[in-house]
Amino acid sequence: MVFGRYKKPVNIKNRQNKENKNQNKSQNISAGRLTPLSFEYSKDVDDHLNYIFPSRKTGLHIDPNGAKYQIDINIMYPSDDEEYYVIYTSGMSSEDMLLPESIEKEYPEFKRAELFMLLPKSWDIDNMVSPIPKHNAYWPMQLLRMMARYHYEFFTWIGPGYTIEYESFASNTKLSAAMVLSLGDDISVIKTRDNKLISLYLVLPLYKEEVKYKMQHGYDAFVDKFAEYFPANDGKEWIVDINRKNIGL
């Protein structure tokens, strides 16, 4: 399978962005007591990721004590000729999200989801999995966990086009927000062994100006503009670059 942008992502107007914006900006990525989830579909998700990114060594970072809802992070390591790590969540899909009825009927795959990101081969993985959360390499794993817990904590849903904002991710980057992307059915829809559907969303870190552009012009317009600056390149256009060009300026 060739990994990349298979089709233009679906356009879903996210109804939580406006009402939760202020809450998201002031929210710390922190936790309460650990609540284990079922992880019922972890193997289905693992099999799907291993199909998309074959023959990679893998590791698992267990959610540390202190998190209210357990979200583990899987790490797929690059080989000598590969340019990026793949990190993805496990546990977000344990429960259905609360979708509006009209969305649930049209997009049943939106009921459950997991998230993933691509990190460059140069990323300091050792410090990302370190127990010291203030290290500059730590934030992608922290971000995925926070977003994966969101529907458990606020009894809501996230889908394509959903954005979340923070004050800062790390001292070495001006990226401070993130958006959920669907990359088309081949990548972003997982069929489980019991014939359920799970969405696998890419999390793309954004600048605050890019969030403003997306809110003003819409999800599709942002994706089109991103494609102009970062053309499809076998998935490499989605690799996190802490110094990438800000297309919202």
Side-chain angles (χ1 to χ4, degrees), residues 3-246:
F3 174 66
R5 188 187 290 108
Y6 278 80
K7 68 178 183 180
K8 191 172 183 180
V10 294
N11 183 16
I12 298 297
K13 182 180 180 182
N14 190 281
R15 300 169 185 175
Q16 287 82 43
N17 277 326
K18 184 176 180 181
E19 64 192 61
N20 291 325
K21 184 177 181 181
N22 293 332
Q23 182 181 34
N24 292 343
K25 291 183 70 173
S26 62
Q27 188 174 15
N28 292 321
I29 303 179
S30 60
R33 188 173 177 181
L34 187 70
T35 302
L37 301 175
S38 69
F39 298 96
E40 179 181 0
Y41 296 114
S42 292
K43 187 178 187 307
D44 297 289
V45 176
D46 291 344
D47 289 347
H48 183 77
L49 268 294
N50 284 320
Y51 176 64
I52 299 171
F53 307 103
S55 306
R56 285 176 175 247
K57 293 182 179 179
T58 61
L60 179 65
H61 188 270
I62 303 295
D63 202 341
N65 289 333
K68 187 175 181 180
Y69 300 99
Q70 181 178 345
I71 302 295
D72 296 336
I73 302 294
N74 297 268
I75 302 171
M76 306 182 80
Y77 292 82
S79 62
D80 292 340
D81 59 346
E82 293 168 326
E83 300 184 25
Y84 53 86
Y85 291 89
V86 182
I87 63 172
Y88 65 96
T89 59
S90 181
M92 181 180 177
S93 62
S94 294
E95 302 289 343
D96 288 351
M97 290 187 278
L98 298 177
L99 302 180
E101 185 176 352
S102 59
I103 298 296
E104 183 175 345
K105 286 182 179 180
E106 189 171 359
Y107 301 101
E109 69 272 22
F110 286 4
K111 291 182 69 174
R112 295 184 185 232
E114 298 287 355
L115 308 173
F116 78 105
M117 292 175 69
L118 306 182
L119 301 178
K121 196 172 185 176
S122 59
W123 201 268
D124 188 351
I125 289 293
D126 289 341
N127 274 306
M128 188 185 76
V129 299
S130 157
I132 304 173
K134 292 184 179 180
H135 194 279
N136 282 338
Y138 184 80
W139 64 266
M141 189 164 63
Q142 193 179 30
L143 174 64
L144 287 186
R145 281 199 169 108
M146 181 62 207
M147 295 184 74
R149 292 186 188 115
Y150 195 76
H151 75 99
Y152 292 110
E153 294 178 339
F154 297 103
F155 305 101
T156 184
W157 68 289
I158 64 174
Y162 178 81
T163 53
I164 192 166
E165 297 180 73
Y166 297 99
E167 296 299 329
S168 174
F169 286 151
S171 61
N172 64 341
T173 181
K174 292 184 178 181
L175 294 167
S176 61
M179 182 169 68
V180 171
L181 285 161
S182 170
L183 299 184
D185 291 352
D186 287 340
I187 297 293
S188 288
V189 178
I190 302 169
K191 188 173 183 180
T192 68
R193 287 162 292 176
D194 60 357
N195 293 318
K196 296 285 181 63
L197 297 176
I198 297 174
S199 290
L200 178 68
Y201 296 131
L202 177 81
V203 173
L204 180 67
L206 302 180
Y207 297 100
K208 62 181 181 180
E209 295 85 1
E210 293 174 334
V211 175
K212 184 177 180 180
Y213 180 91
K214 180 259 177 181
M215 298 297 285
Q216 290 177 339
H217 301 280
Y219 176 47
D220 286 347
F222 177 87
V223 172
D224 289 342
K225 187 172 184 181
F226 190 90
E228 291 177 13
Y229 284 87
F230 306 100
N233 184 22
D234 197 23
K236 297 180 181 65
E237 69 272 22
W238 304 120
I239 299 174
V240 172
D241 179 354
I242 61 173
N243 296 309
R244 71 167 172 80
K245 184 177 180 64
N246 184 340

